[in-house]
Amino acid sequence: RKEVEQDPGPFNVPEGATVAFNCTYSNSASQSFFWYRQDCRKEPKLLMSVYSSGNEDGRFTAQLNRASQYISLLIRDSKLSDSATYLCVVNRGSARQLTFGSGTQLTVLP
Amino acid sequence: DAMVIQNPRYQVTQFGKPVTLSCSQTLNHNVMYWYQQKSSQAPKLLFHYYDKDFNNEADTPDNFQSRRPNTSFCFLDIRSPGLGDAAMYLCATSRGGQGPQETQYFGPGTRLLVL
């Protein structure tokens, strides 16, 4: 089983749609959870950290379910500029050892 | 602006010819990381430095080495590149705290092509 698993997509959605991505992780001792976004041929950029209580940043909402070892990202009112690959990231061992999922590709269509 | 800088952005090397990729940072972060990302795959951590303390991942091939001469600079040396080493190499930094929200900041990457 992979340490971090994501549905690779692609997800093709119209502008304005709501889209949700899921991610599962295998290490029950993990403490750090993030969503990064990566544009084509660019570096990953932090989108948001994921807190136990769930957190929201504008149109983006992240949820963590420790019991099920499951993380989600909800994007509301999708914009064309949201088109990217979304990477689920979880620590293993120390906070400095991050494992990245392979990413979920999102294309927002006009 | 404070940032993570990688040079060169594109590097072409020959099979077996040593190559060095460079990373510098103006964030004054304690930790510097090197990741390898192959096409359509996740970034994979190769190693990291906490200050001068080197931490190698167990599955990183011996062909990959790193140097950190000072806080600002870190180098990735590939001693004998093979065709399978063609990838994007990403440098990242972080402050070095122990909290769960230790954020890593990535440079733009160096795309390596092996001929």
Side-chain angles (χ1 to χ4, degrees), chain A residues 31-46:
Chain A
Q31 295 292 323
S32 304
F33 309 93
F34 307 92
W35 284 101
Y36 276 73
R37 80 169 265 169
Q38 187 171 27
D39 293 290
C40 189
R41 302 178 77 82
K42 297 285 184 70
E43 74 274 23
K45 291 186 177 176
L46 179 67

Side-chain angles (χ1 to χ4, degrees), chain B residues 9-26:
Chain B
R9 297 292 308 277
Y10 299 89
Q11 176 74 56
V12 181
T13 191
Q14 291 178 326
F15 182 95
K17 185 175 180 181
V19 65
T20 295
L21 309 182
S22 108
C23 177
S24 64
Q25 53 123 348
T26 60

Side-chain angles (χ1 to χ4, degrees), chain A residues 17-30:
Chain A
T18 295
V19 61
F21 304 138
N22 302 319
C23 169
T24 57
Y25 61 96
S26 61
N27 186 349
S28 60
S30 294

Side-chain angles (χ1 to χ4, degrees), chain A residues 31-34 36 38 41-46 49-51 87 92 94-103, chain B residues 10 31 33 35 37 40 42-43 45 48 50 57 88 90 96-104 106-108 111:
Chain A
Q31 295 292 323
S32 304
F33 309 93
F34 307 92
Y36 276 73
Q38 187 171 27
R41 302 178 77 82
K42 297 285 184 70
E43 74 274 23
K45 291 186 177 176
L46 179 67
S49 301
V50 186
Y51 302 109
L87 301 166
R92 67 181 191 286
S94 78
R96 293 191 277 275
Q97 290 176 298
L98 298 183
T99 299
F100 285 73
S102 297
Chain B
Y10 299 89
V31 191
Y33 307 80
Y35 287 85
Q37 186 177 24
S40 301
L45 180 62
H48 73 275
Y50 184 95
E57 293 298 301
M88 170 87 96
L90 294 158
Q98 288 295 333
Q101 300 310 325
E102 173 81 347
T103 301
Q104 294 187 17
F106 284 82
R111 192 166 293 275

Side-chain angles (χ1 to χ4, degrees), chain B residues 23-42:
Chain B
C23 177
S24 64
Q25 53 123 348
T26 60
L27 297 161
N28 204 31
H29 282 172
N30 289 315
V31 191
M32 295 186 78
Y33 307 80
W34 280 103
Y35 287 85
Q36 179 193 64
Q37 186 177 24
K38 296 185 178 180
S39 182
S40 301
Q41 295 185 22

Side-chain angles (χ1 to χ4, degrees), chain B residues 66-105:
Chain B
S66 186
R67 297 170 283 136
R68 189 179 185 186
N70 55 52
T71 302
S72 301
F73 284 86
C74 195
F75 300 100
L76 170 63
D77 300 308
I78 309 177
R79 293 195 294 189
S80 182
L83 298 179
D85 296 327
M88 170 87 96
Y89 290 88
L90 294 158
C91 175
T93 73
S94 70
R95 286 193 177 86
Q98 288 295 333
Q101 300 310 325
E102 173 81 347
T103 301
Q104 294 187 17
Y105 300 87

